[in-house]
Amino acid sequence: MSVLPPLTAIRAFEAVARHLSFTRAAVELGMTQAAVSYQIKILEERVGTPLFLRRPRQIALAEAGARLAPEVSAAFETLHAAFAQTQGRVAGTLSISSVPTFASHFLVQHLGLFQVEHPELAVRLESSPRVIDFAAEEFDIAIRGGKSIAPGLTGHKLLPADFSPMLSPRLAESIGGVKRPEDLLKLPMVDADDPWFALWFEQAGVLGYSLDMRPITRLGAQNLEAAAAIAGRGVAMLTPAFYAEDIAAGRLIQPFDLLASDGHAYYLVYPEARRNAPKIKAFRDWLLPLAASLGK
């Protein structure tokens, strides 16, 4: 134990490394900036090498600091988890950032069940397509779409973003029904320049899908495209797993079983250092088996 630097110095290092700012770290720790700088100096003297590169109006982690920072963060998370588990509770608020379609067509329908199981845990949900910065924003977890998990994050694949054309029954009836993939070309498309259209038609063996004479709109989110399709505005390329209720209610039809893929999926992600946080573990253990049933 004698080789460990003072805990105050280690805590100051963790805060500065996370914020890359002595000022913001000082505010968080309730210390003066000079006191934080002094603690970092103590730590650098103890390890025998600079941990930060001081530049005009900004700092950056030195090589030694970059190696040390994730280990220190993980150690503090382990301590936090240990104390929370000892208290027998999952403390605080769980803040979630989710892409809109997953939020509107899955999370909001099931979050009540999670809170029944964890009434001591408040949940804050932001539905947004933007990619959050865990280091700079107060979010615990995120649900993102993509082909891979960003470095520094731990992730779990929830659902492949496979897609197929879907439309309202009334729109299909307007051309006497959709019996072959080629029939879809007679209809307007929602977000016609969505690359999913060309991929699906190619895999369906329909060549020559073209944007010629097709008006271009960009709704920007699959849940909005689905709303347009339900309103009869056109054919939308959607992930059918999200729209089982709309199909059952007759608001949408999926004319063909073919599901195409471009490698995208939905992932639950959070910082590697926070993998053992009790509230994250509670949500992860609840969400993964539930999401596994989504595509079935």
Side-chain angles (χ1 to χ4, degrees):
M1 295 294 293
S2 61
V3 300
L4 284 176
L7 183 59
T8 302
I10 298 174
R11 187 69 184 90
F13 168 76
E14 189 277 335
V16 175
R18 179 159 34 86
H19 292 296
L20 290 180
S21 166
F22 285 94
T23 301
R24 292 172 65 185
V27 171
E28 176 182 310
L29 298 174
M31 302 167 65
T32 65
Q33 183 175 338
V36 171
S37 298
Y38 177 70
Q39 293 299 326
I40 298 301
K41 180 181 179 182
I42 291 175
L43 195 59
E44 290 178 327
E45 289 176 351
R46 180 67 68 90
V47 300
T49 188
L51 298 174
F52 295 96
L53 302 175
R54 278 77 166 176
R55 297 169 177 165
R57 297 187 179 181
Q58 65 177 357
I59 62 170
L61 284 165
E63 182 179 353
R67 290 197 306 267
L68 185 61
E71 301 295 335
V72 170
S73 294
F76 275 108
E77 285 299 333
T78 299
L79 286 171
H80 174 81
F83 280 106
Q85 288 169 353
T86 300
Q87 292 173 325
R89 62 185 176 86
V90 180
T93 299
L94 179 70
S95 296
I96 306 168
S97 171
S98 174
V99 290
T101 298
F102 199 95
S104 63
H105 284 74
F106 183 77
L107 272 186
V108 295
Q109 301 171 20
H110 296 92
L111 272 179
L113 299 175
F114 174 74
Q115 294 196 280
V116 167
E117 295 182 22
H118 298 279
E120 76 285 0
L121 185 61
V123 175
R124 178 173 71 92
L125 173 64
E126 177 188 278
S127 173
S128 171
R130 70 188 185 90
V131 177
I132 63 167
D133 181 354
F134 283 104
E137 301 180 71
E138 294 184 354
F139 284 98
D140 298 299
I141 58 176
I143 294 169
R144 296 176 176 170
K147 293 186 176 181
S148 61
I149 299 169
L153 299 181
T154 291
H156 309 272
K157 186 176 180 179
L158 299 174
L159 178 76
D162 298 341
F163 48 89
S164 190
M166 301 180 70
L167 67 160
S168 71
R170 182 181 300 179
L171 184 62
E173 291 167 4
S174 70
I175 58 169
V178 175
K179 303 176 180 63
R180 301 180 304 159
E182 293 88 340
D183 293 336
L184 295 170
L185 300 177
K186 304 172 186 176
L187 296 169
M189 304 292 179
V190 177
D191 284 14
D193 62 344
D194 183 340
W196 281 6
F197 277 107
L199 282 172
W200 189 89
F201 279 117
E202 180 182 354
Q203 294 187 31
V206 178
L207 303 179
Y209 174 72
S210 172
L211 297 178
D212 291 346
M213 306 300 293
R214 292 189 180 276
I216 302 300
T217 59
R218 292 185 177 90
L219 300 182
Q222 189 180 144
N223 60 331
L224 299 180
E225 295 167 6
I230 290 171
R233 299 295 181 251
V235 179
M237 202 61 70
L238 307 174
T239 300
F242 289 128
Y243 304 100
E245 291 186 4
D246 293 302
I247 293 174
R251 292 186 290 268
L252 283 174
I253 60 171
Q254 179 189 344
F256 307 103
D257 292 335
L258 174 64
L259 293 175
S261 173
D262 63 354
H264 277 73
Y266 293 93
Y267 293 90
L268 170 69
V269 298
Y270 45 86
E272 170 68 22
R274 303 215 64 206
R275 63 189 181 278
N276 293 320
K279 60 184 176 180
I280 291 178
K281 182 179 184 301
F283 189 78
R284 178 181 65 223
D285 292 348
W286 170 81
L287 179 61
L288 293 185
L290 189 62
S293 67
L294 183 58
K296 296 181 180 179

